[in-house]
Amino acid sequence: MRHRPTGLWAKHRRSLMAAALLCPTPALAQTATGANAADTVWILISSALVLLMCLPGLSLFYGGLVRAKNFLSVMVQVGVITAVASLVWVLVGYALAFGPVSNGWIGGLSGLGLAHLAPVRSGTTLPENTFALFQLCFAAITPALMAGAWVDRARFGWVVAFCGLWGLLVYAPVAHWIWGGGWMSTGYGTLDFAGGIVVHTTAGVSALVAAWVLGARTGFPKTLMLPHSPALTMLGAGLLWVGWFGFNGGSALTGSAAAASAILNTHTAACAAALMWIVFEAAHVGKPTSVGFATGAVAGLATVTPAAGMIAPGAAAVFGLAGACVCYAMIQLVKQRWKIDDSLDVFAVHGVGGMIGSLGLAVAMSPALGGTGYAAGGSMGHQFIAQAVGVGVTAAWSAVMSYVLAVGLGKIMPMRATEDDEREGLDITSHGERAWELD
């Protein structure tokens, strides 16, 4: 998610900071506490942009893709997951992810309840409460991404419990391993600029496992379940696209050239992927669709995320093209060959996109390709191994813990709605409301 002040990335960050120091800085930009006012404002804006991605961007993107009778249930799930994940983060998640490093596996608990935050977060120019807020937005949107895998059939209570505990058992440990000074960053030098591993790999793999444990929607795969509003999906995708500028640009943790580079690469990858996706659609189904354009853009955004601040724009375009090609094929594989009803393709788009970008980073960050270069003593081969370890271990951890959590909770509370509830729609059966009155 962002440059961590530990491990190999610290060396890259120091070089960027040294370059920034060559530029004149207004006297008032540095506060009495040592925090940089301009950087602080940029991260506050970026936090708002990330929350915009989730509420309302993700809600509309997913909501338009489901049938009308389940639109409201998707929006409620995304909203409640965001609220629960945010509270979990404030109370204990931040401490587990970014608390004092002891064994490299999980953080200390001195920051429970976000008490005793430092005036400046070590290794940054930000007040620690600003840093914690930015991290909160990532911790909130990550489990919300998984909601697309179980739409139309998961019980609301199970969703809330699963996502709340998932933030503690999956997200917080992985965030600590890579961003919080844990064993992946310090021991192997694994890099993740803005969440290809911490966000997209964890959410994508966990979503696939949850969809498999829940079972397919009634009628899958024979019944055609078309999006009820491609227009809302396009609107949601647009909000995601714009919000992603804060997601990736904010991960520079400074209002600097590094942030601008991340935003430029983010936009470039999304453009390339969206266009490639509709080319595939035109070739395979005869017409380019709005849903295809939106899905392709999101695939490109997910793919470039782990590398956004460390590669050249030309490489970002390649990332977008690669993301579109592989994610498009993976959708067919998951649903047609594996027979897993990952309803809105969370694993194929987010999970696979994040993995591709995380591995591709090892190549594209080469100075010969315009990247930021490797740490002293590093090489493309060493970095690829570090990235492979990060992706492989994170995927395995996410799969095992999500399976245990899903099955364990399923023994306490029902996981999925009844067939009658599915037929009626979760808007009315779970929430007693309808999104649309069409009389």
Side-chain angles (χ1 to χ4, degrees):
M1 205 184 271
R2 41 238 38 103
H3 315 26
R4 288 297 160 257
T6 55
L8 291 178
W9 176 245
K11 300 176 182 178
H12 295 300
R13 188 178 188 279
R14 284 195 293 270
S15 64
L16 290 172
M17 292 295 291
L21 290 174
L22 297 177
C23 301
T25 303
L28 294 179
Q30 201 76 11
T31 67
T33 62
N36 185 281
D39 292 343
T40 301
V41 169
W42 167 236
I43 299 306
L44 292 174
I45 293 171
S46 295
S47 300
L49 287 171
V50 177
L51 192 59
L52 177 75
M53 294 172 64
C54 193
L55 303 170
L58 190 65
S59 295
L60 292 172
F61 180 74
Y62 280 170
L65 290 172
V66 300
R67 290 167 289 182
K69 61 184 179 181
N70 294 306
F71 175 75
L72 190 64
S73 70
V74 171
M75 300 198 80
V76 174
Q77 285 189 23
V78 171
V80 171
I81 290 170
T82 300
V84 169
S86 297
L87 287 177
V88 168
W89 186 255
V90 168
L91 295 176
V92 66
Y94 179 78
L96 294 176
F98 294 101
V101 179
S102 56
N103 54 22
W105 289 91
I106 202 69
L109 298 178
S110 60
L112 288 177
L114 296 186
H116 311 299
L117 295 180
V120 178
R121 169 71 186 183
S122 177
T124 76
T125 58
L126 304 172
E128 190 169 13
N129 60 359
T130 303
F131 179 81
L133 171 64
F134 186 60
Q135 300 295 338
L136 179 151
C137 295
F138 279 77
I141 195 173
T142 304
L145 290 173
M146 297 189 294
W150 55 61
V151 295
D152 297 356
R153 63 197 188 279
R155 281 187 178 268
F156 181 68
W158 179 87
V159 167
V160 175
F162 177 82
C163 290
L165 292 173
W166 185 90
L168 295 177
L169 298 177
V170 178
Y171 182 84
V174 175
H176 182 74
W177 299 346
I178 299 179
W179 293 334
W183 67 272
M184 280 189 187
S185 63
T186 58
Y188 285 87
T190 303
L191 299 176
D192 186 0
F193 186 82
I197 299 175
V198 179
V199 174
H200 296 290
T201 299
T202 58
V205 172
S206 297
L208 185 70
V209 170
W212 175 63
V213 172
L214 274 167
R217 291 168 290 180
T218 301
F220 176 88
K222 296 181 180 179
T223 302
L224 198 60
M225 303 177 190
L226 296 175
H228 89 281
S229 180
L232 290 177
T233 294
M234 278 289 287
L235 177 59
L239 291 170
L240 284 169
W241 194 326
V242 173
W244 225 293
F245 286 8
F247 195 90
N248 288 355
S251 293
L253 296 184
T254 60
S256 63
S261 176
I263 292 173
L264 177 59
N265 290 334
T266 298
H267 185 65
T268 300
C271 292
L275 294 175
M276 177 58 73
W277 201 283
I278 62 174
V279 168
F280 285 146
E281 281 196 326
H284 293 164
V285 300
K287 294 180 180 179
T289 69
S290 60
V291 170
F293 180 85
T295 304
V298 172
L301 291 165
T303 302
V304 79
T305 288
M310 294 181 276
I311 62 176
V318 175
F319 272 52
L321 295 174
C325 294
V326 179
C327 294
Y328 187 92
M330 187 57 66
I331 290 176
Q332 318 308 318
L333 179 65
V334 170
K335 289 185 172 176
Q336 297 179 12
R337 296 289 297 276
W338 296 354
K339 306 297 183 184
I340 298 177
D341 186 14
D342 178 357
S343 308
L344 306 184
D345 307 312
V346 180
F347 173 74
V349 174
H350 291 277
V352 172
M355 294 179 198
I356 294 170
S358 298
L359 296 174
L361 166 61
V363 177
M365 68 184 296
S366 168
L369 299 175
T372 56
Y374 307 102
S379 67
M380 186 180 296
H382 289 143
Q383 193 61 52
F384 186 83
I385 292 173
Q387 298 306 110
V389 168
V391 169
V393 173
T394 297
W397 176 265
S398 301
V400 171
M401 295 306 296
S402 295
Y403 177 81
V404 171
L405 184 56
V407 173
L409 284 173
K411 296 183 180 299
I412 301 172
M413 59 182 66
M415 297 173 63
R416 65 175 294 160
T418 65
E419 188 172 338
D420 288 341
D421 287 348
E422 283 189 58
R423 187 179 301 109
E424 182 70 16
L426 298 186
D427 284 7
I428 194 69
T429 60
S430 293
H431 306 292
E433 302 170 299
R434 295 191 187 277
W436 315 111
E437 293 295 341
L438 304 176
D439 295 337

